[in-house]
Amino acid sequence: MAVKVKIGGNSRTSAQHSLGVRILRAALIACSALLLLFFSVFGYYYFKYQKIVDDRLNAGPMFTNTSQIFAAPREVRPGQKLSAGAIAQELRQAGYNNNPQMGTFQLRGDTILIKPGPQSFHSTDGATITTADGEVQSITAENGVALRGYELEPLLITGLSEDKNRIKRRLVSYKDIPQRMVQSVTAIEDRQFFEHGGINYARTIKCGVQDVLSGRKACGGSTLTQQLARGFFLTPEKHIKRKLIEILISFQLEARFSKQQIFEMYANQINLGQRGSFAINGFGEAAQAYFGKDLKQLDLAECAMLAGMIQRPNYFSPYKHPERAMERRNIVLDSMVETNAITKSEAERAKAEPIRLAPPNVDASEAPYFVDVVHDTLVQRIGDQELSHQSLRIYTSLDPDLQRAASEAVAIGMQNVDEMVRKQHRGNGPITWPQVSLVALNPHTGQVLAMVGGRNYGVSQLNHATSKRPTGSIFKPFVYAAAYNASINGQTIGDKGIFTATTMLDDEPTTFTFDNGRQTYTPRNYKDEFHGSVTAIYALAHSLNNATISLGQMVGFENVAALARQAGISAARGTPAVSLGAYDATPLDMAGAYTIFANNGVHLNPWTLASVRNLNGDIVADFAPEARQVLDPRVAALSTSLMEGVMNFGYGYETRKRGFMAPAAGKTGTSHDAWFAGYTSNLICIVWVGNDDYTDVKLAGALAAAPIWAEFMNRAIKLPQYSDMKPFSYPDGVVMERLDKNTNLLSDSSCPNAYSAAFLAGTEPHNTCSHMGDDQRNFFQKMLGIGGQTQSQENQQPPAGNEPGASPNPAAVRSGPPPNPVAQPNPGSSPNPVVEEPKKKKNFFQKIFGGGGDKKQQQPTQPQQ
């Protein structure tokens, strides 16, 4: 059988096969080349970003434990309104029982046993505090000794910001993160977090397709690992190259760390909005910022709300948009049901829970102006390098309760100020809204207990409490104190004799010369009203300019300035204008200056910083307050008595009208700015209101600053630690007398309209008001017309004066009866009392034969208003 072979057909098949092989080989080569190129590029960038990650991780910890700022310790004393449960709650906030190194306590009904740990601010000495009906009954040391007081662990105020970006965070470890927090985050952000290797490929591809189709880069396909990579190593812009880099870094993170470690880093890094001018980073800081709680204390609804904010923190801010925040929270709860993290009934209960937020006022809770002062002091004392490279525990002077009271008082008071400014403005151009500051000190230690440096720290970080401004009339007490200094030394002032509260001062138009006659100064009173001869106590109470300058001239302007410089007003110079507070000082300076009056003549430099410790509790630095005796205690007491008059029948009476009735001394101030300086037995408070551009605020201190002071003090006196505001005590050598209003002689039953004034022993009046007409001169004195009544017997009461810039309606400041027990001349009931002209003396023949009297004396007159 013959076989036929088709030679041509076989040739074509062979050629086709050969071509296919070549194509396949070329394709394999191309694929290999592409794979080689891909892996080369991938390897290059993988190792490139591995180095970037290495460099970042080797540079130090991913997050530094920033230094923490603590308040002053609360002192518990028998008699305070404080329960054992409230003490326990405060100790929990301080970390007791949660952190045995900090300390432990045992609550047994109305008794609490406290045992500080090795990291406590205090020594390890414990105590037992017994309470009953919400009041502290007794405090007993571990050795059984009864204690008069016991200091609790200081509470955390805030942490220093990490860098110039003003980031705040409170670091937490994974074990500190509630399971509900982990579940809520993974449910809404990355359900496969604990299963995938860093990238959710299906979700990434889906989001990539959506972005291409929509033309927008809006789909959120990133895993938690990718979000961490982006937030920690990259900028937030969205583009393909950055996405690829993000994936590479995610691989690095997944290769290096466990899932728990990655979640911990994520929990500390994620941004969750803004508080004031600070960025809130991490769940630890967010828990405190939004709920005022430790992260461990958050419930299901609160965890869900924070998880919901991750997507758009400002858009879902519960302070700005509570409805959005609640809606987003509920979406998170539904997601947790879908992932079987919680049941539907648990979700419904959480949805029914209202959002309970911490007060939004950052000034009240974190005292940012105060913290800035602490930071600056730390940099000066221990250096910026040491501060930034250590995790320090910084103990300060702040009282959180009083800081809250100060912030609330400023917020309420500035609404009143804004209303007055609005009425003044009447649509004439843009309104300049005044700024404000408040400083509160312990007058016996100098510690700064509260500080508000402006209206809103988030808007302006300029601290007005440490900004220099002309002090105005709150300086005037230093003039009167300088006069009392002369009295202590037995010196007379001018032709007035020994200076006392009833010394007559001349409130008349005067041109004063200084600098050896080369310069002159002609001050003015409000509305150019001058009141003739007035008592010193009245001149200060009603802030009479010319009377005060005339006193300063008699005392010596340089003596006044020297006293002011000793009290911390370093800019004061010996010119007539010093008497009116023309030289600059800060509100903080003035608070320190007033300690010489409130603290028996001892000046205390205001301080904010007590101690710096490391995390083990070891002392890095301790700081002692600086004190020096500036005034004789008698001078301090006499000056305080004059300023009590300001409060009880002068411009400070505005504080009495607003309900603050505790014993107090103070002084209003009005120049271009409005001031009020006042103190009690346990608090000094200075309030300033003014314009940043130095324009005239056109508001009296009595109407702008004094109401804020009263608002603050009314809150302070309700706090257990300041409730015992006592009458001022007076040292030996100072006597308190009741004087008749009309004669300034000792008051008796025949002239009950009286007021109180303090005198240096031996300088007080000796005659009574009912015997003021008794002429005790001898025959020759009567014949020659000499040896007349003392100045204190010749006093007349002028109409109430005004500070520069005071209200056009002074009666608005002076209305109402003075509070008991002081019954001082009442400007409210007699806003324009008459002024008697000084009697003209008769000569020898007029004395014998009569005539020559002052005809005007029969008809009292008053100055033109």
Side-chain angles (χ1 to χ4, degrees), residues 502-650:
T502 55
T503 293
M504 304 305 294
L505 302 177
D506 301 319
D507 189 55
E508 299 171 344
T510 307
T511 296
F512 299 91
T513 60
F514 62 103
D515 195 14
N516 295 322
R518 291 193 293 269
Q519 297 188 58
T520 62
Y521 179 60
T522 306
R524 299 169 60 189
N525 272 357
Y526 177 68
K527 293 176 67 175
D528 286 330
E529 290 179 349
F530 298 92
H531 309 295
S533 189
V534 298
T535 58
I537 193 170
Y538 194 80
L540 183 63
H542 297 91
S543 205
L544 301 183
N545 286 345
N546 281 51
T548 302
I549 298 179
S550 68
L551 176 61
Q553 185 177 50
M554 289 184 285
V555 172
F557 297 126
E558 184 50 46
N559 290 332
V560 174
L563 173 60
R565 289 194 294 269
Q566 284 183 291
I569 309 173
S570 58
R573 296 293 178 268
T575 67
V578 73
S579 302
L580 303 185
Y583 295 98
D584 288 356
T586 70
L588 186 60
D589 290 337
M590 293 308 296
Y594 265 67
T595 60
I596 70 171
F597 303 126
N599 191 42
N600 298 314
V602 176
H603 177 263
L604 292 159
N605 281 345
W607 59 273
T608 59
L609 194 56
S611 182
V612 180
R613 313 282 178 90
N614 62 25
L615 290 181
N616 296 323
D618 302 323
I619 295 174
V620 175
D622 276 343
F623 304 96
E626 300 175 21
R628 62 183 180 279
Q629 191 81 40
V630 171
L631 287 180
D632 187 294
R634 293 169 293 175
V635 173
L638 293 166
S639 302
T640 292
S641 177
L642 290 186
M643 284 186 276
E644 284 189 279
V646 175
M647 303 294 286
N648 295 327
F649 60 88

Side-chain angles (χ1 to χ4, degrees), residues 92-399:
R92 284 191 196 96
Q93 286 183 263
Y96 277 49
N97 287 2
N98 286 330
N99 179 8
Q101 292 295 103
M102 186 61 66
T104 59
F105 68 86
Q106 297 178 37
L107 183 61
R108 300 173 181 171
D110 287 336
T111 298
I112 183 168
L113 286 69
I114 305 172
K115 181 63 178 177
Q119 292 182 5
S120 168
F121 174 70
H122 306 288
S123 65
T124 55
D125 294 335
T128 299
I129 301 175
T130 302
T131 67
D133 298 323
E135 182 174 300
V136 178
Q137 300 298 311
S138 64
I139 306 173
T140 308
E142 287 181 309
N143 60 6
V145 174
L147 301 176
R148 289 182 296 178
Y150 184 80
E151 290 185 340
L152 303 181
E153 191 70 32
L155 295 179
L156 178 66
I157 304 170
T158 187
L160 291 177
S161 59
E162 292 182 357
D163 51 26
K164 63 182 180 181
N165 295 323
R166 303 180 72 79
I167 293 172
K168 285 201 175 180
R169 77 177 86 236
R170 300 188 186 203
L171 291 183
V172 295
S173 62
Y174 186 80
K175 64 181 177 60
D176 295 327
I177 303 171
Q179 188 63 22
R180 293 300 194 208
M181 189 79 248
V182 177
Q183 291 169 336
S184 60
V185 171
T186 53
I188 195 67
E189 289 293 321
D190 187 359
R191 295 186 182 183
Q192 305 301 318
F193 171 71
F194 287 100
E195 286 77 41
H196 62 61
I199 308 298
N200 187 328
Y201 297 102
R203 190 175 174 190
T204 300
I205 293 169
K206 178 182 176 183
C207 280
V209 172
Q210 286 183 8
D211 286 350
V212 170
L213 294 176
S214 65
R216 296 185 300 121
K217 299 169 184 175
C219 183
S222 297
T223 63
L224 295 187
T225 311
Q226 287 175 276
Q227 291 180 44
L228 176 64
R230 178 170 65 244
F232 199 75
F233 296 96
L234 302 172
T235 57
E237 297 87 14
K238 291 187 175 184
H239 50 74
I240 294 176
K241 179 181 177 182
R242 196 225 50 169
K243 193 70 175 178
L244 293 173
I245 295 171
E246 177 186 297
I247 291 171
L248 290 172
I249 293 176
S250 296
F251 288 151
Q252 293 283 343
L253 294 176
E254 289 281 347
R256 290 166 179 262
F257 302 105
S258 68
K259 287 291 186 177
Q260 288 76 14
Q261 289 174 313
I262 291 173
F263 193 93
E264 178 182 307
M265 288 186 282
Y266 178 88
N268 285 306
Q269 184 272 334
I270 192 69
N271 176 263
L272 288 162
Q274 198 83 7
R275 183 168 170 82
S277 64
F278 294 99
I280 302 170
N281 277 29
F283 294 130
E285 185 68 28
Q288 187 64 40
Y290 292 111
F291 303 113
K293 294 182 179 182
D294 186 85
L295 180 59
K296 293 178 181 178
Q297 299 172 319
L298 298 190
D299 63 19
L300 172 59
E302 291 163 340
C303 290
M305 197 198 82
L306 292 186
M309 291 178 64
I310 293 171
Q311 186 185 68
R312 298 173 67 183
N314 292 321
Y315 184 81
F316 292 118
S317 168
Y319 288 119
K320 298 176 184 177
H321 311 291
E323 298 84 3
R324 291 178 190 169
M326 183 172 285
E327 182 181 356
R328 179 67 175 170
R329 179 198 70 180
N330 294 345
I331 290 174
V332 174
L333 292 168
D334 288 337
S335 296
M336 295 178 73
V337 173
E338 292 173 7
T339 59
N340 297 317
I342 60 174
T343 65
K344 192 170 182 61
S345 60
E346 286 177 312
E348 293 305 317
R349 285 196 297 272
K351 287 180 182 180
E353 184 178 312
I355 296 178
R356 300 184 183 92
L357 299 173
N361 192 337
V362 67
D363 294 341
S365 59
E366 296 190 12
Y369 294 104
F370 175 89
V371 170
D372 283 351
V373 172
V374 169
H375 177 267
D376 293 344
T377 305
L378 282 166
V379 170
Q380 293 171 7
R381 299 287 184 92
I382 67 175
D384 202 9
Q385 285 294 106
E386 189 169 357
L387 179 62
S388 60
H389 288 88
Q390 288 196 51
S391 301
L392 302 174
R393 299 172 65 87
I394 300 160
Y395 295 94
T396 71
S397 62
L398 192 81
D399 183 326

